[in-house]
Amino acid sequence: MMKPEYRSSLRRGLGEWLLQRLSSLYIGGFALFVGVKLYLQPMQSYEAWTGWATSTGMGIAFAIFWFSIIIHAWIGLRSVIMDYIKPFGLRFIILSVLVLMFSALTLWTMDIFLLRG
Amino acid sequence: MYTKKNRPVFLNLLLIRLPVGGVLSITHRITGVLLSLAIPAALYLFELSLSGEQGYQTVVGQISSPLGRLVALILVVIFVQHFLSGLRHLLLDLSIGEDRVAARRSAWLAFIIVGLCVLGAGSVLL
């Protein structure tokens, strides 16, 4: 029987583990799709590019793509830092800076997709 | 008996010989960190390319310049490497290819495909 105080952190770890893998599937699949699509049908003009990338379906798909990348990179960088940087103060500072940077990235992405449509 | 405090630690990275799976695993981490560093630039180029005709032409010009092609080539190779080692980790999560021989084989395979990608991407982009 696991000690009660470990339970929530265990579940949190499992959630991140799952999120890391789900986001990887989406990023990998979407990148493959876009790569193949642009290789077979290169965009010839600005109109063609925006027409495709900002259509409702592709707009949502791109938004999920960028948010997946942000989540994936955040979980990955966080675990790398937790593995290699042991002193508490230094770890705290670096993780704090990282939180700020990823908050900014998230707001920036929301601005691109939600506010400007 | 060793206590937690005075256990011997041997972490000389130049003398430790990692198995190929270990090398692939650390490469996965390094390429992951590098790709993270590219996120702001990629997001910026994506935003700029959608901002208008002028922004789009700027991005196209940047990417097709010699430096842009080189950076694109390096990023594509790094992405492919991270993709393949990640795919291998996902398959290992599903208990596919877990035994030592298969795991070593898949690690070598990933490195070989990345090598081919370097050649392929190089011939396409440069």
Short mmCIF file of all heavy atoms in Angstrom, two decimals, chain A residues 17 21 24-25 28 31 43 45-47 49-50 53-54 62 66 69 72-73 77 79-80 83-84 105 108-109 112-113 116, chain B residues 26 28-29 32-33 36 39-44 46-53 56-57 79 82-83 87 89-90 93 124:
data_model
loop_
_atom_site.label_atom_id
_atom_site.label_comp_id
_atom_site.label_asym_id
_atom_site.label_seq_id
_atom_site.Cartn_x
_atom_site.Cartn_y
_atom_site.Cartn_z
N TRP A 17 3.41 11.78 -18.07
CA TRP A 17 3.91 10.69 -18.91
C TRP A 17 2.97 10.49 -20.10
O TRP A 17 3.40 10.42 -21.25
CB TRP A 17 3.98 9.42 -18.04
CG TRP A 17 4.53 8.21 -18.73
CD1 TRP A 17 5.84 7.83 -18.77
CD2 TRP A 17 3.79 7.21 -19.43
NE1 TRP A 17 5.96 6.67 -19.49
CE2 TRP A 17 4.74 6.27 -19.90
CE3 TRP A 17 2.43 7.02 -19.72
CZ2 TRP A 17 4.37 5.15 -20.63
CZ3 TRP A 17 2.07 5.91 -20.46
CH2 TRP A 17 3.02 4.98 -20.91
N ARG A 21 3.38 11.49 -24.28
CA ARG A 21 3.26 10.53 -25.37
C ARG A 21 2.14 10.90 -26.34
O ARG A 21 2.29 10.77 -27.56
CB ARG A 21 3.07 9.12 -24.79
CG ARG A 21 4.40 8.49 -24.49
CD ARG A 21 4.43 7.71 -23.19
NE ARG A 21 5.80 7.33 -22.87
CZ ARG A 21 6.64 8.10 -22.19
NH1 ARG A 21 6.25 9.29 -21.76
NH2 ARG A 21 7.86 7.69 -21.94
N SER A 24 3.34 13.70 -28.43
CA SER A 24 4.33 13.25 -29.40
C SER A 24 3.65 12.62 -30.62
O SER A 24 4.07 12.85 -31.75
CB SER A 24 5.29 12.24 -28.76
OG SER A 24 4.68 10.98 -28.64
N LEU A 25 2.57 11.86 -30.38
CA LEU A 25 1.85 11.25 -31.50
C LEU A 25 1.27 12.32 -32.41
O LEU A 25 1.36 12.25 -33.64
CB LEU A 25 0.72 10.35 -30.98
CG LEU A 25 1.15 9.04 -30.32
CD1 LEU A 25 -0.07 8.29 -29.80
CD2 LEU A 25 1.91 8.17 -31.33
N GLY A 28 4.20 14.31 -34.20
CA GLY A 28 4.82 13.47 -35.23
C GLY A 28 3.91 13.27 -36.42
O GLY A 28 4.31 13.44 -37.57
N ALA A 31 3.31 16.68 -38.29
CA ALA A 31 4.51 17.11 -39.01
C ALA A 31 4.71 16.27 -40.27
O ALA A 31 5.06 16.79 -41.34
CB ALA A 31 5.74 17.02 -38.11
N MET A 43 3.53 25.29 -51.76
CA MET A 43 2.69 26.49 -51.80
C MET A 43 3.30 27.49 -52.80
O MET A 43 4.48 27.82 -52.72
CB MET A 43 2.63 27.11 -50.41
CG MET A 43 1.88 26.27 -49.41
SD MET A 43 0.13 26.17 -49.84
CE MET A 43 -0.37 24.74 -48.90
N SER A 45 1.94 30.63 -53.53
CA SER A 45 1.70 32.06 -53.27
C SER A 45 1.24 32.27 -51.84
O SER A 45 0.90 31.32 -51.14
CB SER A 45 0.62 32.59 -54.23
OG SER A 45 -0.61 31.98 -53.90
N TYR A 46 1.23 33.55 -51.46
CA TYR A 46 0.75 33.90 -50.13
C TYR A 46 -0.71 33.50 -49.96
O TYR A 46 -1.10 32.95 -48.93
CB TYR A 46 0.92 35.41 -49.91
CG TYR A 46 0.22 35.93 -48.68
CD1 TYR A 46 0.66 35.57 -47.42
CD2 TYR A 46 -0.89 36.78 -48.79
CE1 TYR A 46 0.01 36.02 -46.29
CE2 TYR A 46 -1.54 37.23 -47.67
CZ TYR A 46 -1.09 36.85 -46.42
OH TYR A 46 -1.73 37.30 -45.30
N GLU A 47 -1.52 33.76 -51.03
CA GLU A 47 -2.94 33.43 -50.96
C GLU A 47 -3.15 31.93 -50.73
O GLU A 47 -3.98 31.51 -49.92
CB GLU A 47 -3.67 33.86 -52.24
CG GLU A 47 -3.94 35.34 -52.35
CD GLU A 47 -2.69 36.15 -52.62
OE1 GLU A 47 -1.74 35.59 -53.22
OE2 GLU A 47 -2.63 37.33 -52.21
N TRP A 49 -1.06 29.80 -49.38
CA TRP A 49 -0.59 29.43 -48.05
C TRP A 49 -1.58 29.82 -46.97
O TRP A 49 -2.00 29.00 -46.15
CB TRP A 49 0.78 30.08 -47.82
CG TRP A 49 1.28 30.10 -46.40
CD1 TRP A 49 1.55 31.20 -45.66
CD2 TRP A 49 1.57 28.97 -45.55
NE1 TRP A 49 2.00 30.85 -44.41
CE2 TRP A 49 2.01 29.48 -44.31
CE3 TRP A 49 1.48 27.59 -45.72
CZ2 TRP A 49 2.37 28.66 -43.25
CZ3 TRP A 49 1.84 26.77 -44.65
CH2 TRP A 49 2.28 27.31 -43.44
N THR A 50 -2.03 31.09 -46.94
CA THR A 50 -2.99 31.50 -45.90
C THR A 50 -4.32 30.79 -46.09
O THR A 50 -4.96 30.41 -45.11
CB THR A 50 -3.26 33.02 -45.90
OG1 THR A 50 -3.41 33.45 -47.24
CG2 THR A 50 -2.15 33.76 -45.21
N ALA A 53 -3.63 27.34 -44.61
CA ALA A 53 -3.24 27.25 -43.20
C ALA A 53 -4.26 27.89 -42.26
O ALA A 53 -4.28 27.56 -41.08
CB ALA A 53 -1.87 27.90 -42.99
N THR A 54 -5.09 28.82 -42.76
CA THR A 54 -6.05 29.46 -41.85
C THR A 54 -7.49 29.03 -42.12
O THR A 54 -8.41 29.61 -41.56
CB THR A 54 -5.96 31.01 -41.95
OG1 THR A 54 -6.28 31.39 -43.29
CG2 THR A 54 -4.57 31.51 -41.61
N PHE A 62 -3.42 23.35 -36.73
CA PHE A 62 -2.16 24.05 -36.45
C PHE A 62 -2.12 24.52 -34.99
O PHE A 62 -1.07 24.44 -34.34
CB PHE A 62 -1.98 25.26 -37.38
CG PHE A 62 -1.13 24.96 -38.59
CD1 PHE A 62 -1.69 24.94 -39.86
CD2 PHE A 62 0.23 24.70 -38.45
CE1 PHE A 62 -0.91 24.66 -40.99
CE2 PHE A 62 1.02 24.43 -39.57
CZ PHE A 62 0.45 24.41 -40.84
N TRP A 66 0.80 23.59 -32.28
CA TRP A 66 1.68 24.48 -31.51
C TRP A 66 1.51 24.27 -30.01
O TRP A 66 2.48 24.24 -29.26
CB TRP A 66 1.43 25.94 -31.88
CG TRP A 66 2.01 26.30 -33.22
CD1 TRP A 66 1.31 26.57 -34.36
CD2 TRP A 66 3.40 26.40 -33.58
NE1 TRP A 66 2.19 26.83 -35.40
CE2 TRP A 66 3.47 26.74 -34.94
CE3 TRP A 66 4.59 26.23 -32.86
CZ2 TRP A 66 4.68 26.92 -35.62
CZ3 TRP A 66 5.79 26.41 -33.52
CH2 TRP A 66 5.82 26.75 -34.89
N ILE A 69 3.30 21.16 -29.04
CA ILE A 69 4.74 21.37 -28.98
C ILE A 69 5.12 22.05 -27.67
O ILE A 69 6.08 21.66 -27.00
CB ILE A 69 5.21 22.22 -30.19
CG1 ILE A 69 5.24 21.35 -31.44
CG2 ILE A 69 6.58 22.83 -29.93
CD1 ILE A 69 5.80 22.03 -32.65
N HIS A 72 4.74 19.52 -24.86
CA HIS A 72 5.76 18.48 -25.00
C HIS A 72 7.13 19.01 -24.57
O HIS A 72 7.86 18.35 -23.82
CB HIS A 72 5.79 18.01 -26.45
CG HIS A 72 6.59 16.77 -26.70
ND1 HIS A 72 6.08 15.51 -26.51
CD2 HIS A 72 7.87 16.61 -27.12
CE1 HIS A 72 7.01 14.62 -26.81
NE2 HIS A 72 8.12 15.25 -27.19
N ALA A 73 7.48 20.20 -25.04
CA ALA A 73 8.78 20.79 -24.71
C ALA A 73 8.86 21.11 -23.22
O ALA A 73 9.89 20.90 -22.58
CB ALA A 73 9.02 22.05 -25.54
N LEU A 77 11.74 19.47 -21.06
CA LEU A 77 12.78 20.31 -20.45
C LEU A 77 12.73 20.19 -18.93
O LEU A 77 13.77 20.14 -18.27
CB LEU A 77 12.59 21.77 -20.86
CG LEU A 77 12.97 22.12 -22.29
CD1 LEU A 77 12.68 23.59 -22.57
CD2 LEU A 77 14.44 21.85 -22.54
N SER A 79 11.79 17.64 -17.11
CA SER A 79 12.39 16.40 -16.60
C SER A 79 13.90 16.38 -16.80
O SER A 79 14.62 15.82 -15.98
CB SER A 79 11.71 15.17 -17.21
OG SER A 79 11.78 15.20 -18.60
N VAL A 80 14.39 17.01 -17.88
CA VAL A 80 15.84 17.09 -18.07
C VAL A 80 16.46 17.90 -16.93
O VAL A 80 17.46 17.49 -16.32
CB VAL A 80 16.18 17.72 -19.44
CG1 VAL A 80 17.66 18.08 -19.51
CG2 VAL A 80 15.83 16.77 -20.57
N ASP A 83 16.52 16.09 -13.69
CA ASP A 83 17.50 15.00 -13.66
C ASP A 83 18.92 15.48 -13.43
O ASP A 83 19.72 14.83 -12.78
CB ASP A 83 17.46 14.22 -14.99
CG ASP A 83 16.33 13.21 -15.01
OD1 ASP A 83 15.72 13.02 -13.95
OD2 ASP A 83 16.08 12.62 -16.07
N TYR A 84 19.26 16.63 -14.02
CA TYR A 84 20.67 17.04 -14.01
C TYR A 84 20.98 18.16 -13.04
O TYR A 84 22.14 18.36 -12.69
CB TYR A 84 21.12 17.43 -15.42
CG TYR A 84 20.97 16.29 -16.40
CD1 TYR A 84 20.19 16.41 -17.54
CD2 TYR A 84 21.62 15.07 -16.17
CE1 TYR A 84 20.05 15.36 -18.42
CE2 TYR A 84 21.48 14.02 -17.04
CZ TYR A 84 20.69 14.16 -18.18
OH TYR A 84 20.55 13.12 -19.04
N LEU A 105 5.16 31.94 -24.26
CA LEU A 105 4.91 31.21 -25.51
C LEU A 105 3.43 30.84 -25.66
O LEU A 105 2.85 30.95 -26.73
CB LEU A 105 5.75 29.92 -25.53
CG LEU A 105 7.17 29.98 -26.08
CD1 LEU A 105 7.82 28.60 -26.01
CD2 LEU A 105 7.16 30.47 -27.53
N TRP A 108 1.42 33.92 -26.44
CA TRP A 108 1.72 34.31 -27.82
C TRP A 108 0.93 33.43 -28.80
O TRP A 108 0.29 33.93 -29.74
CB TRP A 108 3.24 34.17 -28.03
CG TRP A 108 3.74 34.59 -29.37
CD1 TRP A 108 3.07 35.26 -30.35
CD2 TRP A 108 5.06 34.37 -29.89
NE1 TRP A 108 3.89 35.46 -31.43
CE2 TRP A 108 5.11 34.92 -31.16
CE3 TRP A 108 6.21 33.73 -29.37
CZ2 TRP A 108 6.26 34.87 -31.96
CZ3 TRP A 108 7.35 33.69 -30.15
CH2 TRP A 108 7.37 34.26 -31.43
N THR A 109 0.96 32.13 -28.57
CA THR A 109 0.22 31.21 -29.45
C THR A 109 -1.28 31.48 -29.38
O THR A 109 -1.97 31.48 -30.41
CB THR A 109 0.52 29.75 -29.05
OG1 THR A 109 1.94 29.58 -28.98
CG2 THR A 109 -0.04 28.79 -30.08
N ILE A 112 -1.99 34.47 -31.47
CA ILE A 112 -1.99 34.18 -32.91
C ILE A 112 -3.29 33.53 -33.34
O ILE A 112 -3.91 33.93 -34.33
CB ILE A 112 -0.80 33.26 -33.27
CG1 ILE A 112 0.53 33.99 -33.07
CG2 ILE A 112 -0.93 32.77 -34.71
CD1 ILE A 112 1.74 33.10 -33.28
N PHE A 113 -3.74 32.54 -32.57
CA PHE A 113 -4.86 31.72 -33.06
C PHE A 113 -6.22 32.20 -32.57
O PHE A 113 -7.21 32.08 -33.29
CB PHE A 113 -4.66 30.26 -32.64
CG PHE A 113 -3.62 29.58 -33.47
CD1 PHE A 113 -2.34 29.41 -33.00
CD2 PHE A 113 -3.92 29.13 -34.76
CE1 PHE A 113 -1.37 28.80 -33.77
CE2 PHE A 113 -2.96 28.53 -35.54
CZ PHE A 113 -1.68 28.36 -35.05
N ARG A 116 -6.53 36.80 -33.20
CA ARG A 116 -6.54 37.27 -34.58
C ARG A 116 -7.27 36.32 -35.51
O ARG A 116 -7.39 36.56 -36.69
CB ARG A 116 -5.09 37.47 -35.04
CG ARG A 116 -4.58 38.85 -34.64
CD ARG A 116 -3.12 38.97 -34.92
NE ARG A 116 -2.33 38.55 -33.78
CZ ARG A 116 -1.01 38.37 -33.82
NH1 ARG A 116 -0.36 38.54 -34.93
NH2 ARG A 116 -0.36 38.03 -32.73
N ILE B 26 20.41 9.47 -24.90
CA ILE B 26 20.94 10.81 -24.54
C ILE B 26 20.85 11.73 -25.75
O ILE B 26 20.60 12.93 -25.62
CB ILE B 26 22.39 10.70 -23.99
CG1 ILE B 26 22.82 12.03 -23.38
CG2 ILE B 26 23.40 10.29 -25.03
CD1 ILE B 26 22.13 12.37 -22.09
N HIS B 28 18.44 11.67 -27.85
CA HIS B 28 17.04 12.08 -27.85
C HIS B 28 16.85 13.31 -26.95
O HIS B 28 16.16 14.26 -27.32
CB HIS B 28 16.17 10.92 -27.34
CG HIS B 28 14.70 11.20 -27.39
ND1 HIS B 28 13.99 11.23 -28.56
CD2 HIS B 28 13.80 11.48 -26.41
CE1 HIS B 28 12.72 11.51 -28.29
NE2 HIS B 28 12.58 11.66 -27.00
N ARG B 29 17.51 13.29 -25.81
CA ARG B 29 17.38 14.42 -24.88
C ARG B 29 18.04 15.67 -25.45
O ARG B 29 17.49 16.77 -25.38
CB ARG B 29 18.05 14.08 -23.54
CG ARG B 29 17.35 12.98 -22.81
CD ARG B 29 17.64 13.04 -21.35
NE ARG B 29 16.38 12.91 -20.62
CZ ARG B 29 16.29 12.99 -19.30
NH1 ARG B 29 17.35 13.22 -18.58
NH2 ARG B 29 15.12 12.87 -18.71
N GLY B 32 16.07 17.05 -28.21
CA GLY B 32 14.85 17.63 -27.64
C GLY B 32 15.10 19.03 -27.12
O GLY B 32 14.32 19.95 -27.37
N VAL B 33 16.21 19.20 -26.39
CA VAL B 33 16.54 20.53 -25.88
C VAL B 33 16.78 21.50 -27.04
O VAL B 33 16.29 22.64 -27.03
CB VAL B 33 17.78 20.46 -24.95
CG1 VAL B 33 18.26 21.85 -24.59
CG2 VAL B 33 17.45 19.66 -23.70
N SER B 36 13.57 22.53 -28.59
CA SER B 36 12.86 23.48 -27.73
C SER B 36 13.36 24.90 -27.97
O SER B 36 12.58 25.85 -28.01
CB SER B 36 13.07 23.13 -26.26
OG SER B 36 12.68 21.80 -26.01
N ILE B 39 11.74 26.71 -30.87
CA ILE B 39 10.30 27.00 -30.88
C ILE B 39 9.99 28.49 -31.11
O ILE B 39 9.19 28.82 -32.00
CB ILE B 39 9.62 26.51 -29.57
CG1 ILE B 39 9.68 24.99 -29.49
CG2 ILE B 39 8.16 26.97 -29.52
CD1 ILE B 39 9.14 24.46 -28.17
N PRO B 40 10.62 29.41 -30.35
CA PRO B 40 10.26 30.82 -30.57
C PRO B 40 10.51 31.28 -32.00
O PRO B 40 9.65 31.96 -32.59
CB PRO B 40 11.19 31.57 -29.59
CG PRO B 40 11.52 30.58 -28.54
CD PRO B 40 11.59 29.25 -29.26
N ALA B 41 11.64 30.89 -32.59
CA ALA B 41 11.95 31.28 -33.96
C ALA B 41 10.93 30.70 -34.94
O ALA B 41 10.44 31.39 -35.84
CB ALA B 41 13.35 30.82 -34.34
N ALA B 42 10.57 29.42 -34.73
CA ALA B 42 9.61 28.77 -35.62
C ALA B 42 8.25 29.44 -35.52
O ALA B 42 7.59 29.71 -36.53
CB ALA B 42 9.51 27.29 -35.28
N LEU B 43 7.83 29.74 -34.28
CA LEU B 43 6.53 30.38 -34.07
C LEU B 43 6.53 31.78 -34.71
O LEU B 43 5.56 32.19 -35.34
CB LEU B 43 6.24 30.47 -32.57
CG LEU B 43 4.80 30.77 -32.15
CD1 LEU B 43 3.84 29.74 -32.74
CD2 LEU B 43 4.68 30.77 -30.63
N TYR B 44 7.67 32.47 -34.58
CA TYR B 44 7.78 33.80 -35.16
C TYR B 44 7.66 33.74 -36.69
O TYR B 44 6.90 34.52 -37.29
CB TYR B 44 9.13 34.43 -34.76
CG TYR B 44 9.41 35.73 -35.47
CD1 TYR B 44 8.75 36.90 -35.11
CD2 TYR B 44 10.32 35.77 -36.52
CE1 TYR B 44 8.98 38.09 -35.78
CE2 TYR B 44 10.57 36.96 -37.20
CZ TYR B 44 9.90 38.12 -36.82
OH TYR B 44 10.13 39.29 -37.49
N PHE B 46 6.24 31.40 -38.45
CA PHE B 46 4.87 31.00 -38.78
C PHE B 46 3.93 32.20 -38.73
O PHE B 46 3.15 32.44 -39.67
CB PHE B 46 4.42 29.92 -37.79
CG PHE B 46 3.02 29.42 -38.00
CD1 PHE B 46 2.73 28.54 -39.03
CD2 PHE B 46 1.99 29.83 -37.15
CE1 PHE B 46 1.43 28.07 -39.23
CE2 PHE B 46 0.69 29.36 -37.35
CZ PHE B 46 0.42 28.49 -38.39
N GLU B 47 4.05 32.99 -37.67
CA GLU B 47 3.19 34.17 -37.51
C GLU B 47 3.45 35.17 -38.64
O GLU B 47 2.53 35.70 -39.26
CB GLU B 47 3.46 34.81 -36.15
CG GLU B 47 2.56 36.00 -35.86
CD GLU B 47 2.92 36.69 -34.55
OE1 GLU B 47 4.10 36.63 -34.15
OE2 GLU B 47 2.02 37.28 -33.94
N LEU B 48 4.76 35.40 -38.92
CA LEU B 48 5.13 36.37 -39.95
C LEU B 48 4.61 35.94 -41.32
O LEU B 48 4.13 36.76 -42.11
CB LEU B 48 6.66 36.52 -39.98
CG LEU B 48 7.24 37.63 -40.86
CD1 LEU B 48 6.73 38.99 -40.39
CD2 LEU B 48 8.77 37.60 -40.82
N SER B 49 4.69 34.63 -41.61
CA SER B 49 4.29 34.14 -42.93
C SER B 49 2.79 34.33 -43.16
O SER B 49 2.34 34.37 -44.30
CB SER B 49 4.65 32.66 -43.07
OG SER B 49 3.74 31.86 -42.35
N LEU B 50 2.02 34.45 -42.06
CA LEU B 50 0.57 34.61 -42.20
C LEU B 50 0.14 36.06 -42.05
O LEU B 50 -1.04 36.38 -42.16
CB LEU B 50 -0.16 33.75 -41.15
CG LEU B 50 -0.04 32.23 -41.33
CD1 LEU B 50 -0.62 31.51 -40.12
CD2 LEU B 50 -0.73 31.78 -42.61
N SER B 51 1.12 36.96 -41.80
CA SER B 51 0.76 38.33 -41.45
C SER B 51 0.43 39.18 -42.68
O SER B 51 -0.14 40.25 -42.56
CB SER B 51 1.90 38.98 -40.66
OG SER B 51 3.03 39.11 -41.50
N GLY B 52 0.81 38.73 -43.86
CA GLY B 52 0.55 39.52 -45.06
C GLY B 52 1.52 39.13 -46.16
O GLY B 52 2.47 38.39 -45.92
N GLU B 53 1.25 39.64 -47.35
CA GLU B 53 2.08 39.32 -48.52
C GLU B 53 3.56 39.58 -48.23
O GLU B 53 4.43 38.74 -48.50
CB GLU B 53 1.62 40.18 -49.71
CG GLU B 53 2.40 39.97 -50.99
CD GLU B 53 2.04 38.67 -51.70
OE1 GLU B 53 0.84 38.39 -51.80
OE2 GLU B 53 2.96 37.96 -52.13
N TYR B 56 5.08 37.14 -45.72
CA TYR B 56 5.22 35.85 -46.39
C TYR B 56 6.48 35.81 -47.25
O TYR B 56 7.28 34.86 -47.17
CB TYR B 56 3.98 35.57 -47.24
CG TYR B 56 4.07 34.33 -48.09
CD1 TYR B 56 3.85 33.07 -47.54
CD2 TYR B 56 4.34 34.42 -49.46
CE1 TYR B 56 3.92 31.93 -48.33
CE2 TYR B 56 4.42 33.29 -50.25
CZ TYR B 56 4.20 32.05 -49.68
OH TYR B 56 4.28 30.92 -50.47
N GLN B 57 6.67 36.89 -48.06
CA GLN B 57 7.85 36.94 -48.93
C GLN B 57 9.14 36.97 -48.11
O GLN B 57 10.14 36.36 -48.49
CB GLN B 57 7.79 38.16 -49.86
CG GLN B 57 6.65 38.12 -50.88
CD GLN B 57 6.74 36.91 -51.82
OE1 GLN B 57 7.80 36.30 -51.96
NE2 GLN B 57 5.62 36.55 -52.44
N PHE B 79 15.10 17.02 -36.04
CA PHE B 79 13.72 16.58 -35.84
C PHE B 79 13.57 15.09 -36.16
O PHE B 79 12.93 14.35 -35.40
CB PHE B 79 12.76 17.40 -36.70
CG PHE B 79 11.31 17.04 -36.49
CD1 PHE B 79 10.58 17.63 -35.48
CD2 PHE B 79 10.69 16.09 -37.29
CE1 PHE B 79 9.26 17.28 -35.25
CE2 PHE B 79 9.37 15.72 -37.07
CZ PHE B 79 8.66 16.33 -36.05
N HIS B 82 15.00 13.04 -33.39
CA HIS B 82 14.14 13.05 -32.20
C HIS B 82 12.88 12.22 -32.46
O HIS B 82 12.42 11.48 -31.58
CB HIS B 82 13.77 14.49 -31.85
CG HIS B 82 13.20 14.66 -30.47
ND1 HIS B 82 13.96 14.67 -29.34
CD2 HIS B 82 11.92 14.81 -30.05
CE1 HIS B 82 13.19 14.81 -28.28
NE2 HIS B 82 11.93 14.91 -28.68
N PHE B 83 12.34 12.32 -33.67
CA PHE B 83 11.16 11.56 -34.07
C PHE B 83 11.43 10.06 -33.97
O PHE B 83 10.65 9.30 -33.39
CB PHE B 83 10.79 11.96 -35.51
CG PHE B 83 9.60 11.24 -36.08
CD1 PHE B 83 8.34 11.82 -36.03
CD2 PHE B 83 9.74 10.01 -36.69
CE1 PHE B 83 7.24 11.16 -36.57
CE2 PHE B 83 8.65 9.35 -37.23
CZ PHE B 83 7.40 9.93 -37.17
N LEU B 87 9.94 7.48 -31.41
CA LEU B 87 9.11 6.37 -31.89
C LEU B 87 9.57 5.06 -31.26
O LEU B 87 8.77 4.22 -30.83
CB LEU B 87 9.22 6.28 -33.41
CG LEU B 87 8.23 5.40 -34.14
CD1 LEU B 87 6.81 5.90 -33.91
CD2 LEU B 87 8.54 5.38 -35.63
N HIS B 89 11.11 4.77 -28.38
CA HIS B 89 10.69 4.77 -26.98
C HIS B 89 9.22 4.40 -26.84
O HIS B 89 8.84 3.67 -25.92
CB HIS B 89 10.93 6.15 -26.35
CG HIS B 89 12.37 6.38 -26.01
ND1 HIS B 89 12.94 7.63 -26.01
CD2 HIS B 89 13.36 5.52 -25.68
CE1 HIS B 89 14.22 7.52 -25.69
NE2 HIS B 89 14.50 6.26 -25.50
N LEU B 90 8.39 4.91 -27.77
CA LEU B 90 6.96 4.57 -27.72
C LEU B 90 6.75 3.07 -27.91
O LEU B 90 5.95 2.45 -27.21
CB LEU B 90 6.20 5.34 -28.81
CG LEU B 90 5.94 6.82 -28.56
CD1 LEU B 90 5.24 7.44 -29.76
CD2 LEU B 90 5.08 7.00 -27.31
N ASP B 93 7.66 1.30 -24.86
CA ASP B 93 6.58 1.45 -23.87
C ASP B 93 5.51 0.39 -24.07
O ASP B 93 4.89 -0.08 -23.12
CB ASP B 93 5.91 2.83 -24.02
CG ASP B 93 6.74 3.93 -23.37
OD1 ASP B 93 7.62 3.60 -22.57
OD2 ASP B 93 6.50 5.10 -23.68
N VAL B 124 18.58 17.52 -51.07
CA VAL B 124 17.37 18.28 -51.43
C VAL B 124 17.54 19.76 -51.15
O VAL B 124 17.19 20.62 -51.97
CB VAL B 124 16.14 17.74 -50.65
CG1 VAL B 124 14.95 18.67 -50.82
CG2 VAL B 124 15.80 16.34 -51.13
#
